[in-house]
Amino acid sequence: MIYLDANATTPVDPAVLEAMLPFLREHFANPSAGYSGGRVVRRAIEQARNEVAALLGAGPAEIIFTSGGTESISAVHASVRSLWPGKPELVITGTEHPAVIESARRWEAHGGKVVRVPVHHDGRVDLDALRALVRPGITALVSIMWVNNETGVIAPMSEIVGIAHAAGALVHTDAVQAAGKIHLDVRTVSVDFLSLSGHKMYAPKGVGALYVSQRVRFEPLIIGGGQENERRSGTENVPGIVALGKAAELARHHLDDGTKTRLHSMRDRFEHLVHAALSDMRIHGCRTHRLHTTSSFCLPEIDSAGMLILLEAAGIACSAGAACHTGALHPSHVLEVMGISARDAACTLRFSFHRFNTKAEAETAAHAVIDAAHKMRAERGDDSMVISS
Ligand code: PLP
């Protein structure tokens, strides 16, 4: 199987697995224990914290380990809602991950107001609209993702922070798809909160981190034994945390060692081959500010549900621009908000590359897409699953 679904989850890097195994085998002590076994584990957690902090340009005291991106996001929203009750508004975009959208729904359920900033057709936030919608004394938090999971579109985060801070609002960014893939530095792009997840950066599922700027107050979502400096209780997921630390260390290295350039040209080669054979292919999202590992495109009138079946048979794992809920295909909310028709969304595929992919795999995948599309076109007309717009 050629795995091209890294935005769903990345494979675990073998070096990450090696780093975490001793903490499942011999170093199993509780990090709160006072004896030497506990101290070894505690030191490993603090080392991991240093690595995650270094990846973000943060201080170690600004990093809280969590169970993943979703928890980090919920924790930020709940904390801001509770600490700034006089500021009722939360600003998001419609292209956020459900972890933000559903958490925003809860913000509303608790009596707050959620304001949705429009995005342009290329998926980038409309900064003029943001400027008009963020209100001094009213907006508590702007929560906008750094990189979109479906399209790879990269947000103008510096400008977003400038606009929000000028109005006295805090900024949270869901950087789950950005962390480890592009340079993030909270000293230059001064977001107040940042969420990341282990399983999108070559560590296992079920571990993540939350950056909380030392400038900002924070109230924990999960309370109990006072772990993580009273900011996230519960006995630490030590193997996961050690894995995330190793993944952050490797990511820092790979941000500068040519991996990015290699993946960028691999993705571009893939798109070039598909486009050369299927000239009506339409790539979604901003061409100049798009994650180098993501390719989301529509092949007009070629139903992606059928393509996924043919691609799986050809040994390619990727995903569609429509999510399957209870047996029915629903167009992606991200594409919908970008103004892409339900029909085109139903003909959209997403390929997301990881650092173990090879150029040969990218080429094989491109040929598989072309073959499948030709097959679908040849058979079209009998039982198309395309959602009508
Ligand atoms: N945010 C984005 C952009 C994501 O892609 C994901 C995972 O799909 C999440 C948040 C949720 O992260 P986790 O699976 O670690 O809870």
Side-chain angles (χ1 to χ4, degrees):
M1 184 60 86
I2 297 177
Y3 183 72
L4 297 177
D5 202 18
N7 287 9
T9 196
T10 51
V12 173
D13 188 303
V16 167
L17 181 62
E18 283 309 312
M20 72 187 285
L21 282 178
F23 294 88
L24 288 162
R25 291 191 179 122
E26 55 270 36
H27 302 309
F28 55 81
N30 190 313
S32 298
Y35 40 83
S36 67
R39 287 197 297 275
V40 168
V41 176
R42 167 64 49 210
R43 273 199 297 276
I45 290 178
E46 296 316 318
Q47 176 56 25
R49 198 184 311 281
N50 289 338
E51 292 295 351
V52 173
L55 181 67
L56 305 176
E62 295 175 307
I63 302 300
I64 304 170
F65 289 114
T66 66
S67 67
T70 303
E71 182 192 322
S72 297
I73 292 162
S74 279
V76 170
H77 290 189
S79 173
V80 174
R81 194 177 66 228
S82 159
L83 292 174
W84 284 275
K87 288 184 167 189
E89 292 191 3
L90 166 66
V91 173
I92 65 170
T93 72
T95 58
E96 301 300 315
H97 186 273
V100 165
I101 291 180
E102 292 306 317
S103 176
R105 246 189 261 285
R106 180 164 290 180
W107 181 289
E108 273 172 333
H110 282 81
K113 185 176 169 211
V114 175
V115 177
R116 286 169 186 78
V117 194
V119 300
H120 297 293
H121 190 59
D122 69 357
R124 292 200 103 204
V125 183
D126 181 337
L127 291 174
D128 290 333
L130 181 67
R131 222 169 268 117
L133 291 170
V134 176
R135 299 196 289 163
I138 306 281
T139 308
L141 180 69
V142 172
S143 186
I144 294 182
M145 68 202 321
W146 205 314
V147 170
N148 185 271
N149 47 306
E150 293 192 24
T151 59
V153 169
I154 301 173
M157 200 47 67
S158 281
E159 288 86 341
I160 292 168
V161 170
I163 292 168
H165 282 176
L170 295 167
V171 179
H172 164 253
T173 186
D174 169 359
V176 164
Q177 295 292 346
K181 297 177 191 162
I182 57 172
H183 280 101
L184 305 179
D185 192 334
V186 295
R187 288 165 301 195
T188 49
V189 182
S190 51
V191 295
D192 302 290
F193 308 98
L194 179 151
S195 303
L196 61 82
S197 174
H199 76 105
K200 313 289 185 173
M201 47 182 282
Y202 307 94
K205 296 153 193 69
V207 66
L210 170 60
Y211 158 79
V212 179
S213 164
Q214 59 176 2
R215 303 180 300 271
V216 180
R217 284 186 295 146
F218 177 75
E219 187 176 276
L221 178 67
I222 300 176
I223 52 173
Q227 288 86 350
E228 292 296 284
N229 202 14
E230 308 274 341
R231 293 187 299 175
R232 200 281 188 181
S233 286
T235 303
E236 298 87 339
N237 169 8
V238 178
I241 289 171
V242 169
L244 182 57
K246 186 68 187 177
E249 179 197 330
L250 294 174
R252 224 153 34 101
H253 172 70
H254 287 301
L255 280 170
D256 293 317
D257 72 348
T259 301
K260 256 177 95 177
T261 316
R262 186 176 69 80
L263 285 169
H264 201 146
S265 65
M266 185 188 296
R267 192 279 312 268
D268 285 356
R269 170 91 183 130
F270 168 78
E271 288 185 344
H272 172 79
L273 286 173
V274 175
H275 185 253
L278 304 165
S279 58
D280 55 352
M281 164 208 206
R282 280 202 295 274
I283 294 172
H284 298 307
C286 177
R287 297 299 280 271
T288 48
H289 295 89
R290 190 162 63 108
L291 191 69
H292 56 282
T293 54
T294 303
S295 178
S296 167
F297 57 84
C298 160
L299 295 172
E301 305 302 323
I302 303 181
D303 164 28
S304 56
M307 285 292 282
L308 287 186
I309 293 167
L310 293 176
L311 287 170
E312 185 175 0
I316 312 292
C318 63
S319 68
C324 192
H325 298 299
T326 59
L329 275 180
H330 293 273
S332 132
H333 70 281
V334 174
L335 300 179
E336 197 174 0
V337 168
M338 287 166 64
I340 289 156
S341 70
R343 196 171 187 83
D344 280 355
C347 298
T348 289
L349 295 168
R350 181 193 70 186
F351 296 82
S352 43
F353 295 82
H354 58 84
R355 65 175 177 245
F356 303 111
N357 287 130
T358 62
K359 190 168 163 226
E361 286 180 330
E363 290 176 352
T364 303
H367 293 301
V369 171
I370 296 162
D371 289 349
H374 285 152
K375 208 171 195 168
M376 295 278 293
R377 283 210 166 128
E379 285 171 4
R380 200 173 46 221
D382 5 83
D383 62 344
S384 172
M385 293 168 71
V386 170
I387 300 168
S388 54
S389 46

